[in-house]
Amino acid sequence: MILKNLSIDCVIFGFKDNKLNVLLWQAEPELLQKYLISKEEYQQLKEIFEKNPALKSDKYWGLIGTHLPVEEDLDVYAKKILEVATGLKGIYLKQFRTFGDAGRIPHMRVLTVAYYALINPEYHNLELSPIAKAVRWFDIDQLPEVIFDVKEIILKALKTLREEVKYHPVGFHMLPDKFTLTELQTLYEVILDKKLDTRNFRKKIQNMGLLVDTGEKQTNVAHRAAKLYSFDLEIYHQLREEGLNFSI
Amino acid sequence: MILKNLSIDCVIFGFKDNKLNVLLWQAEPELLQKYLISKEEYQQLKEIFEKNPALKSDKYWGLIGTHLPVEEDLDVYAKKILEVATGLKGIYLKQFRTFGDAGRIPHMRVLTVAYYALINPEYHNLELSPIAKAVRWFDIDQLPEVIFDVKEIILKALKTLREEVKYHPVGFHMLPDKFTLTELQTLYEVILDKKLDTRNFRKKIQNMGLLVDTGEKQTNVAHRAAKLYSFDLEIYHQLREEGLNFSI
DNA sequence: ACAAAAGTGTTGAACATACACCCATGT
DNA sequence: ACATGGGTGTATGTTCAACACTTTTGT
């Protein structure tokens, strides 16, 4: 059985073409049934879709998520949704708010527990997880038409991410394992939506002790090849726990 | 109708006797019905109480909150619960997490949207809001026996408050309108659970521009009377929005 | 040789930390 | 006069912001 008045949704952020992107989908109960829910749950879900034509439309996009089966833990299930939808494990995921205004969804009373996730778009192939009619990345500044209050949820996620990123070094999750300092800086500039001073940025980042020089360099670039860094997982976890004044 | 699988609960923090306290209650459906829910909802609530003897016990304490009526907005209703339970308006209230593990409450599947609130215990009289069998302040270090996962929720609220208080000047909500710098410092020491240097603390706080010298002083104290300050609401709101590096 | 991005250091200002004594008030 | 907590300043080290040129690589 699924809880009809409760959904879990993920705002999945990715850093792509030097822009902050969000992964949205057009869900389809038939496909969800394959991976995430049981047969009876599928029947219930279908009813919900019947009630809201917007859910079935080709025009509107929604957050990746679904209703919560009674026997599932909230956080565990959110992780499961993400894994199924992206094919990736160990994604950075954070519950950031529950949306519950009475009128937010027509004809139904649904609360949405919202999470945001940070991933690197290069690391997964959307073709490989055909769990929806359509799945696509959208530039955060050029969102398509979305269902219900999804836009509000995305904006709140963004706001929360901006706060988070100021004090905790979470940005790394959106980069490949090996990255250049310029990529890292661009990421921060995009998230915070402001220019940062290159020299000061590098000094600060390097003083954190989080970066590991891999000894490798970029290849095939028409300019001086940048060093590739990875980051020290152990120190990362330590810094995350302690809170730290990261303060970019 | 109330949503049986959804509750709203508030971790109410107060600063009392130089300790951080939490307001807990022992709820009673009969009394809730007077202020917060309708007659049919009362019937539903009674069933829930029947299922869980712990809810009716005199031994266990719980968070102030109840199930959500279908027609109510989440945040609005949380505020309403608080107002009814404390008799105070305009309380600082923040949704911090939704708890939803499958096994957290016996025999039932309930998600709890948890809020924390900051109030000044002197400003309300618990006798005046007889909405529960019992309502009482508990030192955060000496919690009584609590129902379900309430302890976990309180600890998570505390952790979130500690983070919040580091970067946003929210502590003021727990003080009287006029307070001394020593009171403010003690509050921060209690929340953060560490000693702060008086001179440095005063410098920092005063440089924030948030404090207004009321011109008044303590009276009837057996030592030099301390100046009373209030804080500048306008600058406060500005600082809250901008995020600011408060960083005590 | 040129275009394009990588990489690097210094200085002055602001802020953080550490630390010890006198002051005002009530009893 | 004494006990109690209120209130203050300085020196040192650290961190932040502002700023411009040289290096490496591919074409």
Side-chain angles (χ1 to χ4, degrees):
Chain A
M1 200 182 77
I2 57 175
L3 303 175
K4 287 199 189 175
N5 52 16
L6 246 164
S7 83
I8 299 193
D9 286 289
C10 302
V11 180
I12 303 177
F13 289 113
F15 181 53
K16 203 170 173 272
D17 311 323
N18 281 349
K19 301 254 185 166
L20 197 56
N21 283 55
V22 187
L23 192 63
L24 300 177
W25 76 3
Q26 292 177 328
E28 185 145 34
E30 288 78 10
L31 295 167
L32 276 166
Q33 197 219 316
K34 270 206 209 160
Y35 303 97
L36 279 168
I37 60 176
S38 72
K39 259 199 186 137
E40 316 120 59
E41 286 165 357
Y42 165 60
Q43 289 304 328
Q44 296 180 283
L45 200 61
K46 246 172 60 178
E47 283 169 36
I48 292 174
F49 271 66
E50 292 306 324
K51 272 196 205 158
N52 263 294
L55 285 169
K56 299 166 70 182
S57 149
D58 280 344
K59 195 171 156 203
Y60 298 101
W61 294 79
L63 291 172
I64 287 169
T66 185
H67 286 259
L68 180 67
V70 259
E71 77 281 3
E72 298 273 359
D73 288 349
L74 203 50
D75 289 4
V76 176
Y77 197 67
K79 198 162 280 180
K80 194 163 160 186
I81 292 174
L82 258 192
E83 284 180 10
V84 170
T86 65
L88 297 176
K89 289 215 166 204
I91 292 176
Y92 179 78
L93 182 66
K94 184 165 172 159
Q95 189 199 301
F96 71 96
R97 182 159 183 96
T98 296
F99 294 81
D101 278 3
R104 58 183 284 272
I105 293 181
H107 322 303
M108 289 169 53
R109 180 68 166 112
V110 181
L111 272 77
T112 291
V113 183
Y115 289 76
Y116 68 80
L118 307 180
I119 74 178
N120 173 9
E122 285 168 33
Y123 280 8
H124 73 122
N125 184 340
L126 295 179
E127 309 306 315
L128 290 179
S129 48
I131 193 183
K133 261 195 304 198
V135 184
R136 219 163 92 194
W137 287 104
F138 290 94
D139 181 339
I140 194 101
D141 292 320
Q142 289 170 272
L143 293 177
E145 293 206 65
V146 293
I147 49 176
F148 311 140
D149 55 353
V150 161
K151 183 152 189 190
E152 187 194 331
I153 297 177
I154 294 175
L155 293 180
K156 179 71 183 176
L158 182 60
K159 197 174 167 198
T160 313
L161 172 63
R162 285 193 172 138
E163 278 289 300
E164 166 102 357
V165 103
K166 265 199 267 179
Y167 308 116
H168 303 278
V170 295
F172 299 92
H173 293 284
M174 280 192 264
L175 293 173
D177 288 347
K178 293 171 188 174
F179 53 86
T180 69
L181 292 182
T182 305
E183 284 168 341
L184 184 59
Q185 184 178 340
T186 308
L187 172 62
Y188 273 95
E189 289 180 342
V190 164
I191 295 177
L192 298 175
D193 195 24
K194 70 175 179 198
K195 281 273 160 226
L196 301 172
D197 179 275
T198 306
R199 277 175 285 191
N200 293 336
F201 180 82
R202 283 165 181 250
K203 257 180 289 174
K204 207 180 289 188
I205 289 287
Q206 274 161 333
N207 283 338
M208 289 177 55
L210 206 56
L211 293 181
V212 181
D213 185 341
T214 63
E216 296 171 56
K217 287 188 173 191
Q218 286 178 314
T219 49
N220 293 322
V221 285
H223 54 77
R224 176 170 178 178
K227 280 188 178 180
L228 291 169
Y229 292 84
S230 62
F231 68 103
D232 186 315
L233 260 174
E234 206 164 309
I235 296 180
Y236 166 79
H237 281 120
Q238 207 180 304
L239 289 180
R240 268 201 58 75
E241 272 320 297
E242 289 168 14
L244 109 135
N245 279 30
F246 182 53
S247 181
I248 284 283
Chain B
M1 200 182 74
I2 57 175
L3 302 176
K4 286 199 189 176
N5 51 16
L6 248 164
S7 83
I8 299 194
D9 286 290
C10 302
V11 180
I12 304 177
F13 288 113
F15 181 54
K16 202 170 174 274
D17 310 325
N18 282 349
K19 301 255 185 163
L20 196 57
N21 283 55
V22 186
L23 192 63
L24 300 176
W25 76 3
Q26 292 177 327
E28 185 144 34
E30 287 79 9
L31 295 167
L32 276 166
Q33 197 220 316
K34 269 206 210 161
Y35 304 96
L36 279 169
I37 60 176
S38 71
K39 258 196 188 142
E40 316 120 59
E41 287 166 356
Y42 165 59
Q43 288 304 328
Q44 295 180 282
L45 200 60
K46 246 173 60 178
E47 282 170 37
I48 292 174
F49 271 65
E50 292 305 325
K51 273 198 204 155
N52 263 295
L55 285 169
K56 299 165 71 182
S57 148
D58 281 345
K59 195 171 155 202
Y60 297 102
W61 294 79
L63 291 173
I64 288 169
T66 185
H67 286 259
L68 180 67
V70 259
E71 77 282 1
E72 297 273 359
D73 287 349
L74 203 50
D75 289 5
V76 176
Y77 198 67
K79 198 161 278 182
K80 194 163 161 188
I81 292 174
L82 258 192
E83 284 180 10
V84 170
T86 65
L88 297 176
K89 289 215 167 203
I91 293 176
Y92 178 78
L93 181 66
K94 182 166 173 157
Q95 189 199 303
F96 71 96
R97 181 158 184 96
T98 296
F99 294 81
D101 278 3
R104 56 184 286 271
I105 293 181
H107 321 304
M108 289 169 53
R109 180 69 167 111
V110 181
L111 271 77
T112 291
V113 183
Y115 289 75
Y116 68 78
L118 307 180
I119 74 178
N120 173 8
E122 285 169 31
Y123 280 9
H124 72 123
N125 184 339
L126 295 179
E127 309 305 314
L128 290 180
S129 48
I131 193 184
K133 261 195 305 197
V135 184
R136 220 164 91 193
W137 287 104
F138 290 94
D139 182 339
I140 194 101
D141 293 319
Q142 288 170 271
L143 294 177
E145 292 206 67
V146 292
I147 49 176
F148 312 141
D149 55 353
V150 162
K151 184 152 188 189
E152 188 194 329
I153 297 177
I154 293 174
L155 292 181
K156 179 72 182 176
L158 182 58
K159 198 174 166 200
T160 312
L161 173 62
R162 285 194 171 136
E163 278 288 301
E164 166 104 357
V165 103
K166 264 198 268 179
Y167 307 116
H168 304 276
V170 295
F172 299 92
H173 292 284
M174 280 193 264
L175 293 173
D177 288 346
K178 294 171 188 175
F179 52 87
T180 70
L181 291 183
T182 305
E183 284 168 341
L184 184 58
Q185 184 178 341
T186 308
L187 172 61
Y188 273 95
E189 290 180 343
V190 165
I191 295 177
L192 298 174
D193 196 23
K194 71 175 178 197
K195 282 271 160 227
L196 302 171
D197 179 275
T198 306
R199 277 176 285 191
N200 295 335
F201 179 82
R202 283 165 182 249
K203 256 180 291 175
K204 205 180 291 188
I205 288 288
Q206 273 161 333
N207 283 338
M208 289 177 55
L210 206 57
L211 292 181
V212 181
D213 185 343
T214 63
E216 297 171 55
K217 287 190 173 191
Q218 286 178 314
T219 49
N220 292 323
V221 285
H223 52 77
R224 175 171 176 178
K227 281 188 178 179
L228 291 170
Y229 292 84
S230 62
F231 69 103
D232 186 314
L233 261 174
E234 207 164 310
I235 296 181
Y236 166 79
H237 281 120
Q238 208 180 302
L239 290 180
R240 269 200 58 75
E241 273 320 297
E242 289 169 14
L244 110 134
N245 278 31
F246 182 55
S247 180
I248 283 284

